[in-house]
Amino acid sequence: MSATDPFAGLSSFLAVAREGSFSAAAIRLGVSPAAVSQAVKVLEARLGTPLFLRTTRHVGLSEAGAALLARVGPAATEIAAAISDTVDMAGEPAGLLRITVPRIAVPLVVEPVVPALRRSHPRVAIEVSVDDAAVDLPARGFDAGIRIGELVDEDMIAVRLSRDIAWSVVASPDYLATHGHPHVPEDLVRHEAIRYRFPTSGTVYRWEFERDGRAQSFDPPGGIIVNDGALLASFARAGLGLAYAADITVEAELRDGRLVRVLERFSPTSPGLFLYFPSRAQTQPKLRAFIDVALEVLRRTGVRR
């Protein structure tokens, strides 16, 4: 290889690899798609191998591209963090904070915290990616993520954002007056369930229960399937069936009686929502600012007790 700048084209390569699209990468980098395409072509020519497998509808990594991303991605994230930290040391927290969150965290954490963060730290920009799937933070260029505690890798630093979650079967009083109350999980076969399909995997969630210390799961019948928790709760309030939900997401409805819990003695609990990040990221002032604001806001809203 010649004395060419070894970093030439890498920012374009990383953006395309992470976004899965040349046009999306161009938007992220603030350049034209043609410029991104040309930079990648030059890099591929310099390396002597294609880095992407392109079709009219899809851009995927080649074997060589995947290998390059596995090694360069974490290093690039570290370099970006180092530059951001250096900038932050000059004054108040600043820079782009990229976080990945599941849908359940959007109304509970993201919606109340982000406005407060922007008001108190206007130099901190934030990018929120909503994704229920597990995410490799360094490989995807995220500073931090939010997930239910049991899904956080042990090598990550985790900060509790919410109390533990009780998973409950809920329904409207009208539905229960018409169809009766289920008393054991097996009664679900005689009821109408509003079911949830995971957006990423496409699988339909099996309702989980605990009985005599043993875990059980059921796939109840139902004519409605959604992939959004807010819509799930809305249909339950409308009396269209039973729904399986985290108590923390339907707390207001349970409090004012629009929804009622059933099968409570079989309801399992799981650790609440946690912010997690690699140990090396904890020194970033922008991340520290997010944590401080989040803990204060979530105490006020009652999500964290």
Side-chain angles (χ1 to χ4, degrees), residues 164-185:
D164 286 349
I165 294 171
W167 296 92
S168 305
V169 179
V170 298
S172 71
D174 287 344
Y175 174 88
L176 296 174
T178 302
H179 300 277
H181 288 240
H183 298 290
V184 292

Side-chain angles (χ1 to χ4, degrees), residues 7 128 225:
F7 297 102
V128 180
I225 299 177

Side-chain angles (χ1 to χ4, degrees), residues 55-75:
T55 68
T56 55
R57 294 186 177 181
H58 179 70
V59 176
L61 287 165
S62 67
E63 183 178 357
L68 181 63
L69 178 64
R71 296 192 65 182
V72 173

Side-chain angles (χ1 to χ4, degrees), residues 65-130:
L68 181 63
L69 178 64
R71 296 192 65 182
V72 173
T77 300
E78 185 67 22
I79 291 170
I83 292 172
S84 178
D85 288 351
T86 302
V87 172
D88 290 347
M89 289 172 64
E92 65 179 285
L96 176 63
L97 180 70
R98 299 186 73 236
I99 63 172
T100 169
V101 306
R103 293 185 180 210
I104 189 176
V106 172
L108 294 173
V109 179
V110 176
E111 291 179 355
V113 170
V114 169
L117 176 71
R118 292 288 292 157
R119 285 193 296 269
S120 58
H121 299 286
R123 292 182 61 203
V124 176
I126 186 163
E127 179 180 338
V128 180
S129 174
V130 181

